[in-house]
Coordinates of all heavy atoms in Angstrom, one line a residue:
M352 N 31.2 -16.5 42.5 CA 31.5 -15.1 42.5 C 30.9 -14.5 41.1 O 31.1 -15.1 40.1 CB 33.0 -14.9 42.5 CG 33.4 -13.5 42.5 SD 35.2 -13.4 42.9 CE 35.6 -11.9 42.1
S353 N 30.3 -13.4 41.2 CA 29.7 -12.8 40.0 C 30.4 -11.5 39.6 O 31.0 -10.9 40.5 CB 28.2 -12.5 40.2 OG 28.1 -11.5 41.2
T354 N 30.4 -11.2 38.4 CA 31.0 -10.0 37.8 C 30.0 -9.2 37.1 O 29.2 -9.8 36.2 CB 32.1 -10.4 36.9 OG1 33.1 -11.2 37.6 CG2 32.8 -9.2 36.3
I355 N 29.9 -7.9 37.3 CA 29.0 -7.1 36.6 C 29.6 -6.7 35.2 O 30.7 -6.2 35.2 CB 28.7 -5.8 37.4 CG1 28.0 -6.1 38.7 CG2 27.8 -4.8 36.5 CD1 27.7 -5.0 39.6
L356 N 28.9 -7.1 34.2 CA 29.4 -6.8 32.8 C 28.8 -5.6 32.2 O 29.4 -4.9 31.4 CB 29.1 -8.0 31.9 CG 29.7 -9.4 32.3 CD1 29.3 -10.5 31.4 CD2 31.3 -9.2 32.4
E357 N 27.6 -5.2 32.6 CA 26.9 -4.1 32.1 C 26.0 -3.5 33.1 O 25.4 -4.2 33.9 CB 26.1 -4.5 30.8 CG 25.4 -3.4 30.1 CD 26.3 -2.5 29.3 OE1 26.9 -1.6 30.0 OE2 26.5 -2.7 28.1
R358 N 25.9 -2.2 33.1 CA 24.9 -1.5 33.9 C 24.3 -0.4 33.1 O 25.0 0.5 32.7 CB 25.6 -1.0 35.2 CG 24.6 -0.3 36.1 CD 25.2 0.2 37.4 NE 25.8 -0.9 38.1 CZ 26.8 -0.7 38.9 NH1 27.4 0.4 39.0 NH2 27.3 -1.8 39.5
L359 N 23.0 -0.4 32.9 CA 22.3 0.6 32.1 C 21.4 1.4 33.0 O 20.7 0.8 33.9 CB 21.5 -0.1 31.0 CG 22.3 -0.9 30.0 CD1 21.4 -1.6 29.0 CD2 23.3 0.0 29.2
E360 N 21.3 2.7 32.8 CA 20.4 3.5 33.5 C 19.6 4.3 32.4 O 20.2 4.8 31.5 CB 21.1 4.5 34.4 CG 22.0 3.8 35.4 CD 22.9 4.8 36.1 OE1 22.9 6.0 35.8 OE2 23.7 4.3 37.0
Y361 N 18.3 4.4 32.6 CA 17.4 5.0 31.6 C 16.7 6.2 32.2 O 16.5 6.2 33.4 CB 16.4 4.1 31.1 CG 16.9 2.9 30.3 CD1 17.2 1.7 31.0 CD2 17.2 3.0 29.0 CE1 17.7 0.6 30.3 CE2 17.7 1.9 28.3 CZ 18.0 0.7 28.9 OH 18.5 -0.3 28.2
G362 N 16.5 7.2 31.4 CA 15.7 8.4 31.8 C 14.5 8.6 30.9 O 14.6 8.3 29.7
F363 N 13.4 9.1 31.4 CA 12.2 9.2 30.7 C 11.6 10.6 31.0 O 11.8 11.1 32.1 CB 11.2 8.2 31.1 CG 11.6 6.8 30.8 CD1 12.3 6.0 31.7 CD2 11.3 6.2 29.5 CE1 12.8 4.8 31.4 CE2 11.8 4.9 29.2 CZ 12.5 4.2 30.2
D364 N 10.9 11.2 30.0 CA 10.2 12.4 30.2 C 8.8 12.2 30.7 O 8.4 11.0 31.0 CB 10.2 13.3 29.0 CG 9.5 12.7 27.8 OD1 8.7 11.7 28.0 OD2 9.6 13.2 26.7
R365 N 8.0 13.3 30.9 CA 6.6 13.1 31.4 C 5.7 12.4 30.5 O 4.7 11.9 31.0 CB 6.1 14.5 31.7 CG 6.8 15.2 32.9 CD 6.2 16.5 33.1 NE 6.9 17.2 34.1 CZ 6.4 17.9 35.1 NH1 5.1 18.1 35.2 NH2 7.2 18.5 36.0
D366 N 6.0 12.3 29.3 CA 5.2 11.5 28.3 C 5.7 10.1 28.1 O 5.3 9.4 27.2 CB 5.2 12.2 26.9 CG 4.5 13.5 27.0 OD1 3.5 13.7 27.7 OD2 5.0 14.5 26.3
S367 N 6.5 9.6 29.1 CA 7.1 8.3 29.1 C 8.0 7.9 27.9 O 8.1 6.8 27.5 CB 6.0 7.2 29.2 OG 5.3 7.4 30.4
R368 N 8.6 9.0 27.3 CA 9.5 8.8 26.1 C 10.9 8.7 26.7 O 11.3 9.4 27.6 CB 9.4 9.9 25.2 CG 8.0 10.1 24.6 CD 8.0 11.3 23.7 NE 8.2 12.5 24.4 CZ 7.8 13.7 24.0 NH1 7.3 13.9 22.9 NH2 8.1 14.8 24.8
R369 N 11.7 7.7 26.2 CA 13.0 7.6 26.7 C 13.9 8.7 26.2 O 14.0 9.0 25.0 CB 13.6 6.2 26.2 CG 15.0 6.0 26.8 CD 15.5 4.6 26.7 NE 15.7 4.3 25.2 CZ 16.0 3.1 24.8 NH1 16.2 2.1 25.7 NH2 16.2 2.9 23.5
T370 N 14.5 9.5 27.1 CA 15.3 10.6 26.8 C 16.8 10.3 26.9 O 17.6 11.1 26.3 CB 15.0 11.8 27.7 OG1 15.2 11.4 29.0 CG2 13.5 12.3 27.5
R371 N 17.2 9.3 27.6 CA 18.6 9.0 27.7 C 18.8 7.5 28.1 O 17.9 6.9 28.7 CB 19.3 9.9 28.7 CG 18.7 9.8 30.1 CD 19.4 10.7 31.1 NE 18.7 11.0 32.2 CZ 18.5 10.2 33.3 NH1 19.1 9.1 33.3 NH2 17.8 10.6 34.3
R372 N 20.0 7.0 27.8 CA 20.4 5.7 28.2 C 21.9 5.9 28.6 O 22.7 6.4 27.8 CB 20.3 4.7 27.1 CG 20.7 3.3 27.6 CD 20.8 2.3 26.6 NE 22.1 2.5 25.9 CZ 22.6 1.6 25.0 NH1 21.9 0.6 24.6 NH2 23.8 1.8 24.4
R373 N 22.2 5.6 29.8 CA 23.6 5.8 30.3 C 24.2 4.4 30.6 O 23.6 3.6 31.2 CB 23.6 6.6 31.6 CG 24.9 6.8 32.2 CD 24.9 7.8 33.4 NE 26.2 7.9 33.9 CZ 26.7 7.2 35.0 NH1 25.9 6.4 35.6 NH2 27.9 7.4 35.4
R374 N 25.3 4.2 30.0 CA 26.1 3.0 30.2 C 27.1 3.3 31.3 O 28.1 4.0 31.0 CB 26.8 2.5 29.0 CG 25.7 2.0 27.9 CD 26.4 1.5 26.7 NE 27.0 0.2 27.0 CZ 27.7 -0.5 26.1 NH1 27.8 -0.1 24.9 NH2 28.3 -1.6 26.5
A375 N 26.9 2.9 32.5 CA 27.6 3.3 33.7 C 29.1 2.8 33.7 O 29.9 3.4 34.3 CB 26.9 2.9 34.9
L376 N 29.3 1.7 33.0 CA 30.7 1.1 33.0 C 31.5 1.4 31.8 O 32.7 0.9 31.7 CB 30.5 -0.4 33.2 CG 29.7 -0.9 34.4 CD1 29.6 -2.4 34.4 CD2 30.3 -0.4 35.7
T377 N 31.1 2.2 30.9 CA 31.8 2.6 29.7 C 31.8 4.1 29.5 O 31.0 4.8 30.1 CB 31.3 1.9 28.4 OG1 30.0 2.3 28.3 CG2 31.3 0.4 28.6
T378 N 32.6 4.6 28.6 CA 32.6 6.0 28.2 C 32.3 6.1 26.8 O 32.5 5.2 26.0 CB 34.0 6.7 28.5 OG1 35.0 6.0 27.7 CG2 34.3 6.6 30.0
R379 N 31.7 7.3 26.4 CA 31.3 7.6 25.0 C 30.3 6.7 24.5 O 30.2 6.5 23.3 CB 32.5 7.8 24.1 CG 33.5 8.9 24.5 CD 34.5 9.2 23.5 NE 34.0 9.5 22.1 CZ 33.5 10.6 21.7 NH1 33.4 11.6 22.5 NH2 33.2 10.8 20.4
E380 N 29.6 6.0 25.3 CA 28.5 5.1 24.8 C 27.1 5.4 25.4 O 26.2 4.7 25.2 CB 28.9 3.6 25.3 CG 30.1 3.1 24.6 CD 29.9 2.8 23.1 OE1 28.8 2.5 22.7 OE2 30.9 3.0 22.4
D381 N 27.0 6.6 26.0 CA 25.7 7.1 26.5 C 24.9 7.5 25.2 O 25.4 7.8 24.2 CB 25.8 8.2 27.4 CG 26.6 7.9 28.7 OD1 26.6 6.7 29.1 OD2 27.2 8.8 29.2
Q382 N 23.5 7.5 25.4 CA 22.7 8.0 24.3 C 21.7 9.0 24.8 O 21.2 8.9 26.0 CB 22.0 6.8 23.7 CG 22.9 5.9 22.9 CD 22.2 4.7 22.3 OE1 21.2 4.2 22.8 NE2 22.7 4.3 21.1
A383 N 21.4 10.0 24.0 CA 20.3 11.0 24.3 C 19.4 11.1 23.1 O 19.8 11.0 21.9 CB 21.0 12.3 24.6
Y384 N 18.1 11.3 23.4 CA 17.1 11.3 22.3 C 16.2 12.6 22.5 O 16.0 13.1 23.6 CB 16.1 10.1 22.5 CG 16.8 8.8 22.5 CD1 17.2 8.2 23.7 CD2 17.2 8.1 21.4 CE1 17.8 7.0 23.8 CE2 17.8 6.9 21.4 CZ 18.2 6.3 22.6 OH 18.8 5.2 22.6
G385 N 15.8 13.1 21.3 CA 14.9 14.3 21.3 C 13.7 14.0 20.5 O 13.7 13.2 19.5
Y386 N 12.5 14.6 20.8 CA 11.3 14.3 20.2 C 10.6 15.6 19.8 O 10.8 16.7 20.3 CB 10.3 13.6 21.2 CG 10.9 12.3 21.6 CD1 11.7 12.2 22.8 CD2 10.7 11.1 21.0 CE1 12.3 11.0 23.2 CE2 11.2 9.9 21.4 CZ 12.0 9.9 22.5 OH 12.6 8.7 22.9
D387 N 9.7 15.5 18.8 CA 8.8 16.6 18.4 C 7.5 16.6 19.1 O 7.3 15.7 20.0 CB 8.7 16.7 16.9 CG 7.9 15.5 16.3 OD1 7.3 14.7 17.1 OD2 7.9 15.4 15.1
G388 N 6.6 17.5 18.8 CA 5.3 17.5 19.4 C 4.4 16.3 19.2 O 3.4 16.1 19.9
L389 N 4.7 15.6 18.2 CA 4.0 14.3 17.9 C 4.6 13.1 18.4 O 4.3 12.0 18.1 CB 3.8 14.2 16.3 CG 3.0 15.3 15.7 CD1 3.0 15.1 14.1 CD2 1.6 15.4 16.2
S390 N 5.6 13.3 19.3 CA 6.4 12.2 19.9 C 7.2 11.4 18.9 O 7.5 10.2 19.2 CB 5.5 11.3 20.7 OG 4.9 12.0 21.8
Q391 N 7.6 12.0 17.8 CA 8.4 11.3 16.8 C 9.9 11.7 17.2 O 10.2 12.8 17.5 CB 8.1 11.8 15.4 CG 6.7 11.5 15.0 CD 6.4 12.2 13.7 OE1 6.1 11.5 12.7 NE2 6.5 13.5 13.6
V392 N 10.8 10.7 17.1 CA 12.2 10.9 17.4 C 12.7 11.9 16.3 O 12.6 11.6 15.1 CB 13.0 9.6 17.4 CG1 14.5 9.9 17.6 CG2 12.5 8.7 18.5
V393 N 13.3 13.0 16.7 CA 13.9 13.9 15.8 C 15.4 13.9 15.8 O 16.1 14.3 14.9 CB 13.4 15.4 15.9 CG1 11.9 15.4 15.5 CG2 13.6 15.9 17.3
N394 N 16.0 13.5 16.9 CA 17.4 13.4 17.0 C 17.8 12.3 18.1 O 17.1 12.1 19.0 CB 18.1 14.7 17.3 CG 17.6 15.3 18.6 OD1 17.8 14.7 19.7 ND2 17.1 16.5 18.5
A395 N 19.0 11.7 17.8 CA 19.6 10.7 18.7 C 21.1 10.9 18.6 O 21.6 11.2 17.5 CB 19.2 9.3 18.3
A396 N 21.7 10.9 19.8 CA 23.2 11.1 19.8 C 23.8 10.1 20.8 O 23.2 9.7 21.7 CB 23.5 12.5 20.2
R397 N 25.1 9.7 20.4 CA 25.9 8.8 21.3 C 27.2 9.5 21.7 O 27.8 10.1 20.8 CB 26.2 7.5 20.6 CG 26.9 6.5 21.4 CD 27.1 5.2 20.7 NE 27.6 5.3 19.4 CZ 28.9 5.3 19.1 NH1 29.8 5.3 20.1 NH2 29.3 5.4 17.8
G398 N 27.5 9.5 22.9 CA 28.7 10.1 23.5 C 28.7 10.1 25.0 O 28.1 9.1 25.6
N399 N 29.2 11.1 25.6 CA 29.1 11.2 27.1 C 28.0 12.2 27.5 O 28.0 13.3 27.0 CB 30.4 11.7 27.6 CG 31.5 10.7 27.5 OD1 31.3 9.5 27.7 ND2 32.7 11.1 27.2
L400 N 27.1 11.8 28.3 CA 26.0 12.7 28.8 C 26.6 13.8 29.6 O 27.6 13.7 30.3 CB 25.0 11.9 29.7 CG 24.1 11.0 29.0 CD1 23.3 10.1 30.0 CD2 23.1 11.8 28.2
N401 N 25.9 15.0 29.5 CA 26.4 16.1 30.3 C 26.0 15.9 31.8 O 25.4 14.9 32.1 CB 25.8 17.4 29.7 CG 24.3 17.5 29.8 OD1 23.6 16.6 30.4 ND2 23.7 18.4 29.1
L402 N 26.4 16.9 32.6 CA 26.2 16.7 34.1 C 24.7 16.6 34.4 O 24.4 15.9 35.4 CB 26.8 17.9 34.8 CG 28.3 17.9 34.8 CD1 28.8 19.1 35.5 CD2 28.9 16.7 35.4
N403 N 23.8 17.2 33.7 CA 22.4 17.2 34.0 C 21.7 16.0 33.3 O 20.5 15.7 33.5 CB 21.7 18.4 33.5 CG 22.2 19.7 34.2 OD1 22.5 19.6 35.4 ND2 22.2 20.8 33.6
A404 N 22.5 15.2 32.5 CA 22.0 14.0 31.8 C 20.9 14.4 30.9 O 19.9 13.6 30.7 CB 21.6 12.9 32.8
T405 N 20.9 15.6 30.2 CA 19.9 16.0 29.3 C 20.3 15.9 27.9 O 19.5 16.0 27.0 CB 19.5 17.4 29.7 OG1 20.6 18.3 29.6 CG2 18.8 17.5 31.0
A406 N 21.6 15.9 27.6 CA 22.1 15.8 26.2 C 23.6 15.3 26.3 O 24.2 15.2 27.3 CB 22.1 17.2 25.6
I407 N 24.1 15.1 25.1 CA 25.5 14.6 25.0 C 26.4 15.9 25.0 O 26.1 16.9 24.4 CB 25.7 13.9 23.6 CG1 24.8 12.6 23.6 CG2 27.2 13.6 23.4 CD1 25.1 11.6 24.6
S408 N 27.4 15.9 25.8 CA 28.3 17.0 25.9 C 29.3 17.0 24.8 O 29.8 15.9 24.4 CB 29.0 17.0 27.3 OG 29.7 15.9 27.5
G409 N 29.7 18.1 24.3 CA 30.7 18.2 23.3 C 30.2 17.7 22.0 O 29.0 17.7 21.7
V410 N 31.1 17.2 21.1 CA 30.7 16.7 19.8 C 30.4 15.2 20.0 O 31.2 14.4 20.5 CB 31.8 16.8 18.8 CG1 31.5 16.2 17.5 CG2 32.2 18.3 18.6
P411 N 29.2 14.8 19.6 CA 28.8 13.4 19.8 C 29.7 12.5 18.9 O 30.1 12.8 17.8 CB 27.4 13.3 19.3 CG 26.9 14.7 19.3 CD 28.0 15.6 19.1
A412 N 29.9 11.3 19.4 CA 30.7 10.3 18.5 C 29.8 9.9 17.3 O 30.3 9.7 16.3 CB 31.0 9.0 19.4
E413 N 28.5 9.9 17.5 CA 27.6 9.6 16.4 C 26.3 10.3 16.7 O 25.8 10.4 17.9 CB 27.3 8.1 16.4 CG 26.4 7.7 15.2 CD 26.1 6.2 15.2 OE1 27.1 5.4 15.3 OE2 25.0 5.8 15.0
A414 N 25.7 10.9 15.7 CA 24.4 11.6 15.8 C 23.5 11.3 14.6 O 24.0 11.1 13.5 CB 24.6 13.1 15.9
Q415 N 22.2 11.2 14.9 CA 21.2 11.0 13.8 C 20.2 12.0 13.9 O 19.8 12.4 15.1 CB 20.6 9.6 14.0 CG 21.6 8.5 13.8 CD 21.0 7.1 14.2 OE1 20.2 7.0 15.1 NE2 21.3 6.1 13.3
G416 N 19.6 12.4 12.8 CA 18.5 13.4 12.8 C 17.5 13.0 11.8 O 17.8 12.6 10.7
W417 N 16.2 13.2 12.1 CA 15.1 12.9 11.3 C 14.3 14.2 11.0 O 14.1 15.0 11.9 CB 14.2 11.9 11.9 CG 14.8 10.5 12.0 CD1 14.6 9.5 11.1 CD2 15.6 10.0 13.1 NE1 15.3 8.4 11.6 CE2 15.9 8.7 12.8 CE3 16.0 10.6 14.3 CZ2 16.7 7.9 13.6 CZ3 16.8 9.8 15.1 CH2 17.1 8.5 14.7
D418 N 13.7 14.3 9.8 CA 12.9 15.5 9.5 C 11.6 14.9 9.0 O 11.6 14.0 8.2 CB 13.6 16.4 8.5 CG 12.8 17.6 8.2 OD1 12.1 18.1 9.1 OD2 12.8 18.0 7.0
Y419 N 10.5 15.4 9.4 CA 9.2 14.9 9.0 C 8.3 16.0 8.4 O 8.5 17.2 8.7 CB 8.4 14.4 10.3 CG 9.1 13.4 11.1 CD1 9.9 13.7 12.2 CD2 9.0 12.0 10.7 CE1 10.6 12.7 12.9 CE2 9.6 11.0 11.5 CZ 10.4 11.4 12.5 OH 11.1 10.4 13.2
D420 N 7.4 15.6 7.5 CA 6.5 16.5 6.9 C 5.3 16.7 7.9 O 5.2 16.0 8.9 CB 6.0 16.1 5.5 CG 5.2 14.8 5.5 OD1 4.7 14.4 6.5 OD2 5.0 14.3 4.4
P421 N 4.3 17.6 7.7 CA 3.2 17.8 8.6 C 2.4 16.6 8.9 O 1.7 16.5 9.9 CB 2.4 18.9 7.9 CG 3.4 19.6 7.1 CD 4.3 18.6 6.6
T422 N 2.4 15.6 8.0 CA 1.6 14.4 8.3 C 2.4 13.3 8.9 O 1.9 12.2 9.2 CB 1.0 13.9 6.9 OG1 2.0 13.5 6.0 CG2 0.0 14.9 6.3
G423 N 3.7 13.5 9.2 CA 4.5 12.5 10.0 C 5.3 11.6 9.1 O 5.9 10.7 9.6
N424 N 5.4 11.9 7.8 CA 6.2 11.1 6.9 C 7.6 11.7 6.9 O 7.8 12.9 7.0 CB 5.7 11.1 5.5 CG 4.3 10.5 5.4 OD1 4.1 9.4 5.8 ND2 3.4 11.2 4.8
W425 N 8.6 10.8 6.7 CA 10.0 11.2 6.6 C 10.2 12.1 5.5 O 9.8 11.8 4.3 CB 10.9 10.0 6.5 CG 11.2 9.3 7.7 CD1 10.6 9.3 8.9 CD2 12.3 8.3 7.9 NE1 11.1 8.5 9.8 CE2 12.2 7.9 9.2 CE3 13.3 7.9 7.1 CZ2 13.1 6.9 9.7 CZ3 14.2 7.0 7.6 CH2 14.1 6.5 8.9
R426 N 10.9 13.3 5.7 CA 11.3 14.1 4.6 C 12.9 14.0 4.5 O 13.4 14.2 3.4 CB 11.1 15.6 5.0 CG 9.8 16.1 4.4 CD 9.7 17.6 4.4 NE 9.8 18.1 5.8 CZ 9.1 19.2 6.2 NH1 8.3 19.8 5.4 NH2 9.3 19.6 7.4
G427 N 13.5 13.7 5.6 CA 15.0 13.6 5.5 C 15.5 12.8 6.7 O 14.9 12.7 7.7
Y428 N 16.8 12.4 6.5 CA 17.5 11.7 7.6 C 19.0 12.0 7.4 O 19.5 12.1 6.3 CB 17.3 10.1 7.4 CG 18.1 9.3 8.3 CD1 17.8 9.1 9.6 CD2 19.3 8.7 7.8 CE1 18.6 8.4 10.5 CE2 20.0 7.9 8.6 CZ 19.7 7.7 9.9 OH 20.5 7.0 10.7
E429 N 19.7 12.2 8.5 CA 21.1 12.5 8.4 C 21.8 11.8 9.6 O 21.3 11.6 10.7 CB 21.2 14.0 8.6 CG 22.7 14.5 8.6 CD 22.7 16.0 8.8 OE1 22.7 16.5 9.9 OE2 22.8 16.7 7.7
T430 N 23.0 11.3 9.2 CA 23.9 10.6 10.2 C 25.2 11.4 10.2 O 25.7 11.7 9.2 CB 24.1 9.2 9.8 OG1 22.9 8.5 9.8 CG2 25.0 8.5 10.9
K431 N 25.7 11.7 11.4 CA 27.0 12.3 11.6 C 27.9 11.4 12.4 O 27.4 10.8 13.4 CB 26.9 13.7 12.3 CG 26.1 14.7 11.5 CD 26.1 16.0 12.2 CE 25.4 17.1 11.4 NZ 25.3 18.3 12.1
A432 N 29.2 11.5 12.1 CA 30.2 10.8 12.9 C 31.2 11.8 13.3 O 31.8 12.5 12.5 CB 30.9 9.6 12.2
N433 N 31.4 12.0 14.6 CA 32.3 13.0 15.2 C 32.1 14.4 14.5 O 33.0 15.1 14.3 CB 33.8 12.6 15.0 CG 34.0 11.3 15.7 OD1 33.7 11.2 16.9 ND2 34.6 10.3 15.1
G434 N 30.8 14.8 14.3 CA 30.5 16.1 13.8 C 30.4 16.2 12.3 O 30.0 17.2 11.8
S435 N 30.9 15.2 11.6 CA 30.9 15.3 10.1 C 29.8 14.4 9.5 O 29.6 13.3 9.9 CB 32.2 14.8 9.6 OG 33.3 15.6 10.0
V436 N 29.1 15.0 8.5 CA 28.0 14.2 7.9 C 28.5 13.1 7.1 O 29.4 13.2 6.3 CB 27.2 15.2 7.0 CG1 26.1 14.4 6.2 CG2 26.5 16.3 7.8
V437 N 28.0 11.9 7.4 CA 28.4 10.7 6.7 C 27.3 10.1 5.8 O 27.5 9.3 4.9 CB 29.0 9.6 7.6 CG1 30.3 10.0 8.2 CG2 28.0 9.2 8.7
L438 N 26.0 10.5 6.1 CA 24.9 10.1 5.3 C 23.8 11.1 5.4 O 23.5 11.6 6.4 CB 24.3 8.7 5.9 CG 23.1 8.2 5.2 CD1 23.4 7.8 3.7 CD2 22.5 7.0 5.9
D439 N 23.3 11.5 4.2 CA 22.3 12.5 4.1 C 21.3 12.1 3.1 O 21.6 11.7 2.0 CB 22.9 13.9 3.7 CG 21.9 15.0 3.8 OD1 20.7 14.8 4.2 OD2 22.2 16.1 3.4

């Protein structure tokens, strides 16, 4: 007899970038990703996906944001936990 321990579902955009990861057997563990025009990750969030599976609904349990200069180098990075900045 087998038991399913984990079930992951992924979503991708037209440029083959991963936009979401859904953990079907848990709550507040889904992930959503956003990209800029150069396909660099600009934000990532963990929580419950909205009904359209396009973003995290409500306040994410954890969120990360990246800022880049025009040549693609990091200018800044920020981490939030439950909406409050914990690392800048």
Side-chain angles (χ1 to χ4, degrees):
M352 184 171 152
S353 64
T354 302
I355 296 174
L356 300 177
E357 181 74 275
R358 181 177 302 148
L359 299 174
E360 300 168 2
Y361 295 95
F363 298 89
D364 64 12
R365 291 179 185 222
D366 294 324
S367 298
R368 300 176 296 200
R369 184 168 65 184
T370 56
R371 62 181 157 79
R372 183 188 82 172
R373 182 173 176 262
R374 292 183 70 183
L376 302 178
T377 61
T378 59
R379 297 192 52 82
E380 293 292 328
D381 300 332
Q382 292 181 327
Y384 307 94
Y386 301 89
D387 65 10
L389 297 175
S390 293
Q391 299 171 119
V392 177
V393 292
N394 58 58
R397 183 174 51 86
N399 291 322
L400 284 170
N401 62 12
L402 292 177
N403 296 329
T405 56
I407 299 299
S408 62
V410 177
E413 183 181 315
Q415 298 172 319
W417 292 266
D418 183 33
Y419 302 94
D420 68 15
T422 60
N424 297 310
W425 279 17
R426 267 196 298 216
Y428 172 78
E429 179 179 82
T430 300
K431 293 182 179 181
N433 298 312
S435 298
V436 176
V437 293
L438 178 65
D439 187 7

